Structure formats: C-alpha cells, structure tokens
Amino acid sequence: MNAPLVKLEGLKKYFPVRSDKLFSEKEWIKAVDGVYLEIQPGEVIGLVGESGCGKSTLVNLLLRLEEATEGKIWFDETDLTHLSQEALRKTRRDIQMVFQDPFWSLNPRLLVRDIVGEPLTVYLKLSQTQLVEKVQSLLEMVGLPRESLYHYPHEFSSGQRQRIAIARALALEPRLVVLDEPTSAIDILSQAQILDLLMQIKRNLGLTYILISHDLSVVHYLSDRIVVMYLGKVVEEGEADTIFNSPRHPYTQALLNAIPDITKYSLDDLQTLEGSVPSAINPPSGCRFHTRCPMAMEVCRREEPVMLKLGNSHRAACHLLQSNNPKAKRGIP
Amino acid sequence: MNTLLEIKNLKINFKTFEGEKQALDIEHLQLGRGETLGLVGESGAGKTVLALAVLGLLPAGQSVIHSGEIRFDGEDLLQKSRRELEENYRGRRIAMIFQDPMSTLNPVFTVGQQLGNVIQRHRGLKGADLKNASIQTLELVRLSDAESALQKYPHELSGGQRQRVIIAIALSCGAELLIADEPTRNLDVTIQAGILKLMDELQKTLGLSVLFIANNMGLVNVICKHIGVLYRGKVVELGPSRAVIENHKHPYTEALISAIPREKSEKLKFAAASLRSETKRGCPYYARCPLAVESCLEQNPNLIPISDGHRAACILLREGGGR
Amino acid sequence: MKSFDEFLLVFKPQWREFQQSLYLFNRNHLQFASLMVVLLLVLIAIFAPWIAPYPTHILEETNVQDKLLAPSTQYWFGTDELGRDMFSRVLYGTRISLVTALIAVFISLCIRIPLGAVAGTLGGFVDEVIMRLTDIFLSFPPLLLSIAIAAFLGPSLQNAIAAIVISWWPWYTRLIRGQAVSIRERQFVRAALSIGTPRSKIIFNHVLPNTIAPVIVQASMDIGGVILTIAALSFLGLGAQAPTPEWGLLISTSRTYFLNAWWYSTFPGLAIIVTVLAFNLIGDGIREVLDPKTRKI
C-alpha cells in the first residue's frame, strides 16, 4: 500500500462552553473526540453521520480553520497541526473545499472572473490576460460557457453556481478536495450532472475527495470508502459497497434503513431512531450510541467498545460484534 | 370520491423585467378528502407558487392570475376577499408548513406562547384549558415531555422537534387540508423518517388531505398515494405513485427517476441542460426532451389517460400508454 | 473585430444588470417619483442662478418698495422683508442644502467605512478601541452635540458641517461594524479564508463591497437627515449666516413676520419636507436594487 495522503492520529477538538454558574468546573463540547483515519491518494472518502456528529469540525480542522486540541493531522508527511502560518500557506494550496450552498459561498458582489480568479491572485503573479485565460480554461473544465466570466453569481442557477465553486476549488490544482454537502441545495437533475462532473474531474486530475453529505445515495455513488461518525467518534468504516450491503454497527444500519427511496412505497419500510443526538457536552458513558440503540446491552452503558477489524479494511466499534467477549456475555441479562 | 381541492385552468404569470413569465399553467388537478398528493419538480417548477396561490399569499405586485379557479370544498378561493380568506380558510381549514423550521417559528416567543396564541384565536380557550389543549396538541405530534417543551424557545429545540411544533401549530385549528412544502429538507435522515411517520399517522387519524411538495421522487412515494410531476408550471404526469414510478410515460419523469444515484459509479443517465433552443410554442419540455419530434412544437399537449387515474402530457403517447 | 467581441462580452451583462436595476427601482411608483424629484432637485441645484427669475435678489440686493408681497404672478413665492423674490432664494437654497449635505455625508463616510470595516473584520483589540471611542460619542444626543460643537467653533456653514461630521460618525461606524461582523461569518469569507486569502484582501474584496449596499441606503437617508440638521443649526443661528438663503435661516428670519406673511416660512419649509422625503424614499429604492436576493429569479 502507498503512503497515505492524509492521516489523522487521535484527533480531538474540544470547544469550551460558557457555564451559567460562576465557579463550576469548565465544560467542553467534545466535537471531535479521538479520530484515527487514513486516506489513500486517489480515494473518495464519504463522511456520514447526523448533524452534530463532528464531521464539519473534522473538516475545519483539516483546513486549519480551527486549531486541534490534541492529536496530529499528517498531510503528505507534514504535520499540519504544528505548521507556521507561512508554511501553512503552501499546503493550503493542496487542500481546497467546495461548500454546501453555492448561493452563500460565492460573494454576490464579485464577477465570476474574480471569484474563480481569487485563489490565483492570492498565490500567483499573473497578468490580467493570463488570469482571464486561466479562468476561462477552468470554466471550460466545469462546463460553463466563456460568457460566464463577466456575470454575477445571482444570474446562475444553483447547479451552475456550484460549478463555479468547483472551478474555484480547482484553480490551484489541489491534491485533496473537501466536498461539504456539494449537492444538497441543488435539484435532482443538476445533482446528477454535478456528480458526473465530479467523477470525471477526479479521474482526469487524479484527485482525492473527502465527501460530506447527509444524502446517503450521493455518498454511495461517489465514495470508495465510507466512514460513519457518531458524536465525535468513528463507529464504522469500510468499502462503500460493504457498508451499504452489510453494515455491522446498529447505528449504520439505522441510518441506511431511514433513507426513503423510490423502491419503498410504505413508511413501514423506514426505520426511525428514537430521540435526537445527545449533547456532546456530556456524552453518554460507555458506548455513546447506547441511549438510542435498539440493541443496547448492559455492557454498552459501562464500557466503550473498541474498533474491531471485521474484514479487509472494514472496521466497527460495537459490543455486539464481540460475541466471544466474556464481558459482553455477562452484560446480557 | 369526495373532492376537497380542485384546480381548473389555472394560469399564473410572474412579472419580471423581461416581461411576464409563465409560473403556473394547470389544466386540472384535484385532491380528495383524506387523500395524499405529492408534487415533484425542480425548483422553479411552480410547486411553491401553487401552494401560495391556494393560500392566497402570492406577492401581489409581482404575480398576475390570468384565469382559472381554485375550488376548496366547492368554493372558488380566487373569488374570495382577503378578509374571507383570512377568517375562514388560511390557518383555519387550510394549514401550511414550510421547509425551514428555524425561520418559521418566532425566536422571541416560547413554544407555549406561539401555540397558545393560535389555539386561543381559533377555539377561544383561556387559562388552564388553553394549557391543557396545548399539551394535548404537542402530545399528538409525539413531542416528548410536552409540558416542559411549552416553556422552551425555538432555539432550544432540535430541528426535528421544531418541525413537530410547527406541525402542531398548523393542525391546532383543525385544518382539513395540510400543505407541506418540503418539510424535511435539511433534516437528518433519521429525523426525517420520524417526521414522515408522524405526518402519515396524523393524516390517517385526522382524515387530513395532504399536498406534499418535494423535489425528490423517493421521498413522496413513501408518503403519498398519488404523485404529480410538475415541469415549468405544468403537470406533465399524474397518477398513483406506483404507476408513475414504475410505469412512467413522460420523458421528464423518466429523467427525474434515472437521475437518482443508486449504485457506486454506475453511469447516471440525466437530461442534458438543453438539447435545442427554447421556444415559446408547443410542449414546454421540447428543448430538453430526448424524444422530441417536429410535431411537438405544434401544440402544448394535454394530459392523456393511460390507465386508471394515470395520465401524462406527451403527444407521442396514445391513449392507454403506447408510443 | 476581436476587441469588439471582447467589449460585448463585458458590456452585455453589465447592460442587463443596469436594465434590471431600473426595472426593480421603478416597480414601486413612489420610489420612481422620488427618483424624479431628486433628479429635479439636482438640476435645480446646478442651474439655480440661471433659472431664478431674479438672480440678483439671491444675496445682497434689496428692493424695499416690494417688501412682504404675497405670492403673485410676478413673485411666485412672494417677497421677504427686503423685497427679495422668495422663489429665487428658495431655488438657490436647494444648492446650498444639497452641497452641504453631500459634503457632510461624504466626509463622514470616509471616516466611518474604514473604521467600521476594520473593527468588524479584525475584531479583538482594534475593535475594542474603536467601539469604546464610539461609545463616548454615543453618550451625547447627536443634535445637542452638533449644537455644542457648532457653538464652540463659531457660527458658519463650514463649522456646521464639521459639527455634523463629528457628532454623526459613530452611529454608522457601529452599523458598518455590525454588517462586517455578519459578513465575516458568511460562507464566502470562510471560502476565502480556506484558500488562504490575506486579511487585507478579505476586507477589500469581500467585506467592503457587501457593506456598501446598506451604507449607500443609509447615506441617501442621511442626506435627508443632514439637510434637516443644517436647517436646524441655521435656524438657531449656528449655521449659515445672512444673507445666505439657507432654508433653515429663511424660516428663522420669517418668524418675525409669521402672522402677516405666511408664504415667508411656508415655502422654505415645504422645500425641506419635499427634499428630505425624496431622499428617504430613494433609500428604499436603492436597497431594492442593491440586494442580490431580489434578483434571484
């Protein structure tokens, strides 16, 4: 196996909470709580989980929009967490991001030329003609006409705006692109086009993607590997097809069974999870999912499950999978 | 079938700086009592315009209603004065829930105040009766710990809980028709499943009629018995959910369904943005249709019956569904 | 020919933008009317000495035999205590009011915008210092502060402008700072940060252009407010001095003749009302045009 492009080692991010009481102990929101992850070059990793599971924080850490509390982020064998601002500028070129809503991620007062050209003007010294030429070829790559240069973002449909955002992300020829809900604000037909475009670009440029989406069908379509997060921790990871066809963690199973799709005609086909994600300030003891898990046992309340290797690159953290574990057996009443 | 909502020949245009643009052109659409109809289409297809038209909430200066009627329980809503609509229909017999649960609730009032307000106005209850009625309504939408929820402000609730409160407010006045405009957009799938189940349950126990607006086929077919597909303000296919999804006849419906990603990297079939230049006459889907022929330009096709209740608007179809 | 194509490529979308702006502005008839009134006022301000039927009456020349005449075909707005044509004087007053208001608003914008944008974008210590400074100014009622400053500097039109600038800047510095703070949290700023755009570029390319809309709206309404304040200062004798035909000063002198010469105070008063109203209404129109959300189709 090659050296991984990205390697997260015990990554943690705690946010302090303002307490109501004057002398109470300081409390922390444990947004990301000990994540280990490796991403191979050329891979598409799908990050899945309900809102509040820490996937956005994870991405912010990777882009150094937030500072990690603990742990290391290796990007191509440099540790991003201990990089000076100056050195960071260089690696930033390699990691770019496409944001969720293209209506808000593009400055409404700038022409498309200036939006797509912004990263170029920050890093390179180009003449005006060179800049326009470069922007033009980027627009061509994402399938937008040359005339788009001198238009404002509001004149485009949401699918086209997302193309502009993709062109901007590609301007510096990055190696890793983070896609944060790239199609959640887009109609189904444009979504199909954008997904196709993303795949095509990935193949042509040899990119690595990290994809965040709450639409699991999109994740399934794009990803090679899927990582399921719950309350700041990875609960299951594996090949996309393995996760979709034989999920092992009850949370993954619940997520998958909750998706409505065109083959389901009755609500009885959908599984619901009781309650919402518990607060990350005082996460439940033991397995964090036990408060909502339909299969919770006594041991789940007490002990945190460890990651178990279930197959080639398939891992999950659940006491149920440790059936030969004597502790688990004792837990069953 | 007892018809609750019936829309006939409704033509609505929007004023823009390039002149009037067609927003809605509906030949015929009806919803029976206790029925559920899902409207699917891209943004700008006119789904929300239709909902606002039923409620009489279209922006006055910017839209023109050219013709048509919206019959609710036999009465034409377009002929009603604003006062009549406010007093007898909107929020009373017709309720609507919007897609963004955060901005629908007023952030400076508690759930109890907002819900109480509506119940008080419609049922004239006061004091302890009002509180009990509020708790009952919240229990109806399966909000856990209803009594303490009354004291909470919207920002203290999760997205799913807020949507439940909104449903409670919408239904607290005994509405007969519920219009839901993508109520689960931006909610997590697990929460979405819960809200859908709740709506289904309420629909059955209260005998509600539901007009469910969504941009995703996969979502409407789990909750609606019937599906209508809108394209540029026009119903292009209409029928029982199973028929529309499994035996779709209109090329646009086909495009919508095949655009849903399923397997890993399987080639997605999708309609290109535009195959031909736009025209003003003929079929509105002409410019994007992979099957279009010359004669598509001759007339704007009407809905052609295919099987029981299943109809599609494409001139290539013969009655019964053959091409 | 290639350069012409290039020109069309740039020009066409801009022209479309302009047409759409006009459409949005004219959608509301009141706004359209206000635009027309403001244009008329500007024309009057520019050409006042030439349109006025008695240009010599504007300042010194007196004509005592015609003093305090009621409006007639000869003197449309009547005459004052020295027999000068009120119509000519009110027309010329437009020029004084507009010019002083524009100067005052322009200077205070030059102070407010950079201060507010810097405070809002950078935050921290800089923000703290600027905001506490505004707090000090905000603890005085603005009109009272202007009066005090004008009295301290001595009565003249220039000093009145200075007084207004000094007492008004903190209000909008706060407005712009608030705007900048909200823009700082928008996704396109996060997008720019994730690229590694330097702070200075973020202020100039992202924060400033997006604060401009509310600032222009506010500025156009300010013009109304400044005209009113200058009139008030002049009325109190702290602004324009005789024989300048400033509207506030005209009303002030008319007080003596209030009972038998109604026209003397009425016409300058009407001029103030119409001007202030037009500028306030036009602010609403500009907001409509500048908000990218109204253009989403």
Side-chain angles (χ1 to χ4, degrees):
Chain A
M1 218 186 243
N2 314 348
L5 181 68
V6 180
K7 194 173 167 193
L8 309 182
E9 278 182 4
L11 196 62
K12 289 184 183 174
K13 176 68 191 178
Y14 294 176
F15 294 101
V17 194
R18 260 186 218 172
S19 172
D20 297 342
K21 291 168 216 120
L22 194 55
F23 295 110
S24 66
E25 233 175 282
K26 206 165 193 182
E27 289 185 312
W28 301 91
I29 293 178
K30 297 173 178 173
V32 173
D33 199 7
V35 168
Y36 294 84
L37 194 66
E38 279 184 15
I39 301 171
Q40 302 295 327
E43 228 183 355
V44 181
I45 290 278
L47 270 184
V48 169
E50 288 164 285
S51 43
C53 74
K55 40 186 180 152
S56 311
T57 313
L58 196 70
V59 166
N60 284 348
L61 290 175
L62 193 60
L63 290 163
R64 273 277 300 250
L65 292 173
E66 314 259 16
E67 301 292 330
T69 313
E70 216 183 293
K72 284 189 163 58
I73 304 169
W74 295 97
F75 181 79
D76 201 22
E77 284 159 19
T78 34
D79 180 9
L80 296 188
T81 51
H82 289 95
L83 228 46
S84 67
Q85 284 298 324
E86 203 34 53
L88 188 67
R89 260 173 71 87
K90 288 198 191 78
T91 52
R92 237 178 206 160
R93 287 186 59 172
D94 288 332
I95 309 177
Q96 293 291 319
M97 181 151 178
V98 174
F99 288 86
Q100 177 171 14
D101 188 333
F103 191 71
W104 294 115
S105 68
L106 306 177
N107 186 342
R109 303 255 168 248
L110 292 187
L111 292 171
V112 170
R113 180 194 63 191
D114 302 325
I115 291 171
V116 178
E118 183 180 14
L120 297 169
T121 53
V122 171
Y123 287 97
L124 310 170
K125 286 207 162 49
L126 294 177
S127 72
Q128 192 64 22
T129 13
Q130 281 173 317
L131 182 82
V132 169
E133 257 168 44
K134 177 82 185 146
V135 172
Q136 239 172 55
S137 70
L138 283 165
L139 290 177
E140 204 175 298
M141 197 185 328
V142 298
L144 284 174
R146 201 166 85 97
E147 290 87 74
S148 320
L149 278 174
Y150 298 97
H151 286 270
Y152 290 98
H154 65 81
E155 298 172 71
F156 295 91
S157 72
S158 56
Q160 288 170 318
R161 279 199 293 262
Q162 199 60 297
R163 284 169 194 265
I164 297 171
I166 292 171
R168 173 175 63 185
L170 296 177
L172 292 169
E173 295 162 17
R175 295 159 69 193
L176 175 68
V177 178
V178 179
L179 307 165
D180 183 4
E181 304 270 8
T183 58
S184 73
I186 297 177
D187 284 317
I188 186 95
L189 291 179
S190 316
Q191 167 176 301
Q193 293 173 358
I194 296 283
L195 293 180
D196 195 65
L197 176 72
L198 286 170
M199 279 315 264
Q200 202 185 312
I201 289 171
K202 189 210 150 227
R203 245 177 275 125
N204 294 347
L205 304 178
L207 293 174
T208 307
Y209 286 156
I210 295 181
L211 169 71
I212 297 179
S213 177
H214 68 247
D215 187 337
L216 293 166
S217 56
V218 169
V219 176
H220 191 190
Y221 177 77
L222 277 183
S223 310
D224 300 315
R225 227 145 49 82
I226 288 175
V227 176
V228 185
M229 285 183 74
Y230 187 76
L231 271 179
K233 281 194 179 292
V234 174
V235 295
E236 184 165 3
E237 66 166 297
E239 301 283 327
D241 286 334
T242 320
I243 297 278
F244 267 82
N245 298 332
S246 50
R248 300 295 293 275
H249 196 283
Y251 179 62
T252 317
Q253 290 165 355
L255 268 186
L256 292 175
N257 290 333
I259 321 172
D261 78 54
I262 49 168
T263 58
K264 294 175 183 160
Y265 290 98
S266 157
L267 280 160
D268 302 334
D269 298 339
L270 296 188
Q271 185 187 341
T272 51
L273 267 181
E274 289 304 314
S276 51
V277 186
S279 150
I281 299 176
N282 283 312
S285 61
C287 173
R288 295 185 171 192
F289 187 53
H290 83 252
T291 50
R292 297 166 77 195
C293 183
M295 284 169 275
M297 305 176 291
E298 184 52 39
V299 64
C300 303
R301 232 150 285 167
R302 285 182 280 112
E303 250 170 74
E304 201 171 324
V306 288
M307 265 289 176
L308 292 175
K309 202 165 163 34
L310 300 169
N312 199 15
S313 85
H314 188 188
R315 299 188 302 155
C318 177
H319 285 300
L320 281 173
L321 304 172
Q322 273 174 324
S323 49
N324 51 357
N325 184 338
K327 280 182 201 156
K329 280 208 179 109
R330 237 187 294 146
I332 302 168
Chain B
M1 186 174 71
N2 189 345
T3 306
L4 182 66
L5 181 73
E6 189 175 18
I7 295 167
K8 278 187 199 154
N9 295 322
L10 186 63
K11 281 195 169 68
I12 296 176
N13 284 7
F14 272 164
K15 287 185 196 162
T16 74
F17 86 107
E18 286 161 324
E20 286 193 12
K21 270 195 178 152
Q22 179 180 301
L24 213 54
D25 175 16
I26 288 184
E27 197 189 316
H28 187 237
L29 192 67
Q30 66 177 13
L31 176 65
R33 268 181 208 282
E35 294 267 309
T36 45
L37 173 65
L39 284 180
V40 187
E42 291 166 280
S43 54
K47 299 166 293 181
T48 307
V49 179
L50 179 66
L52 293 179
V54 171
L55 287 166
L57 286 176
L58 284 173
Q62 294 157 39
S63 52
V64 201
I65 300 173
H66 277 289
S67 66
E69 45 196 82
I70 300 175
R71 293 205 171 274
F72 180 81
D73 204 9
E75 306 271 339
D76 188 359
L77 295 182
L78 292 178
Q79 305 302 324
K80 301 272 179 222
S81 69
R82 218 177 79 194
R83 242 189 96 183
E84 267 180 296
L85 280 177
E86 272 167 15
E87 280 178 2
N88 300 329
Y89 295 95
R90 204 184 296 158
R92 207 162 249 255
R93 302 182 66 186
I94 308 174
M96 178 153 179
I97 48 181
F98 295 88
Q99 38 176 284
D100 185 358
M102 193 61 221
S103 52
T104 312
L105 289 171
N106 190 335
V108 300
F109 293 111
T110 62
V111 168
Q113 286 168 320
Q114 300 189 47
L115 180 60
N117 230 330
V118 179
I119 296 179
Q120 191 181 19
R121 199 172 50 213
H122 289 288
R123 288 199 244 152
L125 296 175
K126 278 202 179 80
D129 288 343
L130 182 64
K131 195 179 169 193
N132 284 336
S134 303
I135 293 175
Q136 262 174 23
T137 324
L138 288 184
E139 276 165 357
L140 194 70
V141 296
R142 307 238 176 279
L143 200 70
S144 51
D145 202 4
E147 197 157 353
S148 71
L150 285 180
Q151 308 301 326
K152 286 187 177 161
Y153 287 91
H155 68 89
E156 297 174 285
L157 302 173
S158 71
Q161 288 171 321
R162 277 197 288 265
Q163 200 57 282
R164 280 170 199 264
V165 169
I166 289 165
I167 294 175
I169 290 176
L171 297 180
S172 58
C173 44
E176 296 155 63
L177 173 64
L178 176 69
I179 303 176
D181 189 356
E182 302 197 43
T184 59
R185 188 165 193 167
N186 298 328
L187 290 181
D188 287 312
V189 278
T190 50
I191 310 294
Q192 164 172 289
I195 298 281
L196 291 178
K197 284 197 171 174
L198 170 72
M199 288 187 61
D200 188 56
E201 191 187 302
L202 290 174
Q203 189 265 328
K204 285 187 178 120
T205 51
L206 302 175
L208 282 177
S209 304
V210 177
L211 192 62
F212 194 98
I213 293 171
N215 60 9
N216 191 343
M217 277 284 188
L219 189 63
V220 279
N221 68 321
V222 293
I223 187 157
C224 298
K225 291 281 166 296
H226 289 81
I227 293 181
V229 180
L230 274 176
Y231 181 77
R232 298 230 175 141
K234 188 177 150 73
V235 180
V236 294
E237 187 155 0
L238 182 68
S241 301
R242 201 176 273 270
V244 171
I245 284 177
E246 285 170 12
N247 191 22
H248 44 73
K249 291 296 176 197
H250 198 279
Y252 181 64
T253 318
E254 158 101 44
L256 280 183
I257 289 174
S258 55
I260 301 172
R262 262 157 284 177
E263 289 302 306
K264 158 84 190 136
S265 302
E266 120 242 46
K267 184 81 185 144
L268 282 178
K269 283 181 281 172
F270 51 80
S274 241
L275 297 169
R276 296 167 204 88
S277 56
E278 296 283 335
T279 51
K280 285 218 159 162
R281 52 205 180 96
C283 176
Y285 192 55
Y286 175 76
R288 287 166 70 181
C289 185
L291 304 175
V293 292
E294 272 303 298
S295 50
C296 289
L297 284 175
E298 279 160 22
Q299 55 161 325
N300 196 345
N302 292 331
L303 286 169
I304 297 162
I306 293 159
S307 60
D308 187 29
H310 184 192
R311 289 175 294 163
C314 177
I315 58 155
L316 296 175
L317 293 173
R318 272 175 285 120
E319 230 167 273
R323 278 214 172 101
Chain C
M1 220 44 217
K2 187 171 181 287
S3 64
F4 181 68
D5 283 346
E6 209 57 36
F7 169 74
L8 272 188
L9 194 69
V10 182
F11 176 73
K12 253 190 180 161
Q14 302 287 348
W15 175 241
R16 208 183 112 95
E17 279 294 293
F18 177 71
Q19 278 180 311
Q20 201 172 1
S21 302
L22 269 187
Y23 170 78
L24 285 173
F25 200 96
N26 295 344
R27 204 159 60 177
N28 185 326
H29 299 300
L30 211 54
Q31 284 163 10
F32 180 69
S34 73
L35 179 68
M36 290 298 124
V37 171
V38 167
L39 283 179
L40 185 71
L41 287 172
V42 171
L43 287 179
I44 290 176
I46 295 170
F47 298 107
W50 293 281
I51 330 169
Y54 300 92
T56 48
H57 287 196
I58 289 166
L59 292 172
E60 299 284 2
E61 195 190 282
T62 52
N63 193 14
V64 193
Q65 71 276 19
D66 283 349
K67 71 172 184 181
L68 295 177
L69 290 180
S72 61
T73 44
Q74 192 190 359
Y75 301 114
W76 289 359
F77 288 1
T79 61
D80 66 4
E81 77 279 14
L82 297 174
R84 291 176 290 193
D85 175 35
M86 282 301 290
F87 183 60
S88 306
R89 304 203 86 208
V90 169
L91 278 190
Y92 200 76
T94 315
R95 178 185 254 196
I96 294 166
S97 291
L98 286 193
V99 169
T100 48
L102 279 178
I103 292 174
V105 168
F106 180 76
I107 297 177
S108 53
L109 282 183
C110 289
I111 303 174
R112 295 163 190 175
I113 295 179
L115 277 185
V118 166
T121 319
L122 296 183
F125 180 70
V126 184
D127 186 22
E128 204 64 23
V129 169
I130 295 174
M131 282 305 106
R132 293 301 80 79
L133 206 63
T134 62
D135 280 343
I136 296 173
F137 278 90
L138 287 177
S139 50
F140 301 99
L143 185 61
L144 220 56
L145 189 62
S146 329
I147 291 173
I149 296 169
F152 174 75
L153 294 174
S156 81
L157 206 50
Q158 287 91 317
N159 290 347
I161 293 175
I164 286 171
V165 170
I166 295 171
S167 59
W168 278 41
W169 72 270
W171 294 84
Y172 301 104
T173 305
R174 296 218 133 207
L175 177 94
I176 292 161
R177 176 191 172 266
Q179 195 71 21
V181 167
S182 86
I183 289 164
R184 193 177 63 188
E185 299 301 319
R186 294 258 193 90
Q187 241 184 6
F188 59 80
V189 173
R190 272 177 32 106
L193 278 174
S194 77
I195 290 166
T197 314
R199 292 287 186 88
S200 58
K201 279 208 174 188
I202 288 186
I203 294 182
F204 277 103
N205 291 348
H206 298 291
V207 176
L208 274 183
N210 283 287
T211 46
I212 285 301
V215 167
I216 292 181
V217 172
Q218 197 58 50
S220 70
M221 294 188 174
D222 270 6
I223 291 179
V226 170
I227 290 174
L228 217 52
T229 313
I230 293 210
L233 288 176
S234 303
F235 182 83
L236 295 172
L238 294 168
Q241 298 300 310
T244 322
E246 206 282 333
W247 292 335
L249 185 63
L250 290 181
I251 296 178
S252 177
T253 26
S254 76
R255 276 177 306 167
T256 333
Y257 315 98
F258 180 67
L259 285 179
N260 38 22
W262 59 268
W263 58 91
Y264 198 166
S265 53
T266 305
F267 288 109
L270 274 178
I272 294 176
I273 292 173
V274 169
T275 315
V276 173
L277 199 64
F279 276 104
N280 281 346
L281 283 173
I282 214 171
D284 282 335
I286 295 174
R287 171 164 37 220
E288 194 112 316
V289 170
L290 289 181
D291 186 357
K293 262 187 279 179
T294 54
R295 305 204 172 187
K296 240 171 113 182
I297 307 163

